[in-house]
Amino acid sequence: AKKVVAKPAAKKVVAKPAAKKVVAKPAAKKVVAKPAGLKKFNSYTPKKNESYMSRSQLKHFIKILNEWKLELSNDIDRTVSHMQEEITAYADPNDRASQESDMALELRNRDRERKLIKKINVTLLNIENDEYGYCKLCGEEIGLNRLIARPTATLCIDCKTLDEIREKQIAK
């Protein structure tokens, strides 16, 4: 009698699906914000016996305001073109959320800059009407140092301080 020996079963060869190629997604470009901080303006040193808000002082502030307005306008234009170029439909919800968050932040900043441009225009009108440099509440001089720090200031330091104290009291 012949001995029957069982052969090991042959393994079935199953074709594996081809591995998907891993393609790196372009990372969402972050909008680079300007370094935080206040804008530095050129200082003005008054000449001896120069009256407050003289012609040369007004020219200095007109130059500062117009340059600032031009810079803000260029930033707004750059943002609009950047946003039009960078519209990308990301498949990953996290990438989409990051992009939307960046766009929202950028739009909020541009809205603030747009409001600042309006304030600069009002300040330029005040210069034309000889109302620049004097407090809207008390009529006193705002002061060159304050105007150099904030050319769009409409209140003297005392009235502004009182205004901020009132705001804090109302907020509580």
Side-chain angles (χ1 to χ4, degrees):
K2 209 173 181 189
K3 205 175 190 185
V4 179
V5 178
K7 286 185 181 178
K11 290 184 179 178
K12 289 186 180 178
V13 177
V14 178
K16 291 183 181 178
K20 290 184 181 177
K21 285 186 179 178
V22 177
V23 179
K25 287 190 266 181
K29 283 191 179 178
K30 298 280 182 191
V31 178
V32 178
K34 290 185 178 181
L38 299 174
K39 177 154 176 59
K40 299 264 184 175
F41 297 105
N42 294 333
S43 186
Y44 181 85
T45 308
K47 295 167 186 70
K48 257 188 175 176
N49 300 326
E50 185 177 9
S51 63
Y52 183 70
M53 287 297 114
S54 65
R55 185 181 296 282
S56 62
Q57 290 174 5
L58 291 173
K59 282 182 182 178
H60 174 76
F61 287 110
I62 289 171
K63 181 179 179 232
I64 285 175
L65 291 164
N66 282 326
E67 287 174 357
W68 196 12
K69 187 168 105 173
L70 182 66
E71 182 182 326
L72 292 170
S73 297
N74 289 340
D75 285 350
I76 290 172
D77 293 343
R78 199 171 318 122
T79 298
V80 170
S81 64
H82 175 266
M83 290 178 112
Q84 288 171 345
E85 292 169 2
E86 293 301 317
I87 295 176
T88 308
Y90 291 105
D92 183 33
N94 292 328
D95 287 342
R96 259 196 325 270
S98 291
Q99 182 185 35
E100 288 174 16
S101 175
D102 291 346
M103 294 282 191
L105 179 65
E106 192 68 24
L107 288 172
R108 196 172 344 150
N109 287 339
R110 293 305 156 234
D111 189 48
R112 290 179 68 206
E113 289 177 351
R114 188 180 49 77
K115 289 176 184 173
L116 182 56
I117 288 174
K118 285 182 181 177
K119 196 169 185 182
I120 291 171
N121 288 333
V122 168
T123 303
L124 289 168
L125 280 174
N126 286 343
I127 291 174
E128 284 180 30
N129 298 332
D130 293 326
E131 297 172 3
Y132 183 69
Y134 298 94
C135 180
K136 282 191 169 184
L137 295 180
C138 68
E140 292 293 317
E141 295 177 357
I142 293 175
L144 282 178
N145 288 337
R146 177 156 165 71
L147 289 172
I148 288 169
R150 184 154 190 89
T152 57
T154 57
L155 301 176
C156 67
I157 194 68
D158 294 333
C159 291
K160 184 63 178 173
T161 303
L162 289 173
D163 194 42
E164 288 175 356
I165 290 170
R166 270 187 237 115
E167 279 181 24
K168 284 181 185 175
Q169 289 175 343
I170 293 171
K172 288 183 179 178

